[in-house]
Amino acid sequence: MGHESVEDYQWPRVASAQEMKDAKLPLAYRDRCASLLIPLNKCRHEFYYLPWKCVDERHVYEKCEYMEFQARVNALKKEKAVAARAAAEAEAAAALSS
């Protein structure tokens, strides 16, 4: 059983700004996973935050947040690799010109 990669993950639909506003989501939570947080919060309020309720919704939301984190980590790795490659090329060009 392997882990799902960021490339293979089926991202949920993106909630509209109006949906997020209507759900009173704080700005920090308005990301790609907000459309999963809205029903999770409704479920939490309905069941008074009982820890054994809304487990499926919480799991799906937390997985989405984890995949979002992995996507940011991968993007940062790519940026660092591009910057390192550019620095190495600049260093090689400087060595050739001297």
Side-chain angles (χ1 to χ4, degrees), residues 17-87:
Q18 189 62 43
E19 287 175 313
M20 291 185 272
K21 182 180 177 184
D22 293 343
K24 298 177 182 171
L25 288 182
L27 291 176
Y29 294 95
R30 296 183 184 191
D31 58 7
R32 277 200 265 190
C33 303
S35 63
L36 300 173
L37 181 59
I38 293 168
L40 172 60
N41 283 343
K42 286 181 185 176
C43 180
R44 285 173 168 168
H45 285 109
E46 181 181 338
F47 291 106
Y48 303 102
Y49 284 81
L50 291 172
W52 57 88
K53 298 289 186 178
C54 312
V55 174
D56 293 336
E57 292 91 340
R58 191 184 83 229
H59 176 73
V60 170
Y61 172 71
E62 287 176 350
K63 180 174 183 177
C64 181
E65 284 295 323
Y66 176 73
M67 293 307 240
E68 176 76 18
F69 169 75
Q70 288 296 320
R72 288 194 310 268
V73 167
N74 290 345
L76 183 61
K77 284 181 183 177
K78 286 179 186 174
E79 284 180 25
K80 285 184 177 182
V82 167
R85 195 175 313 118

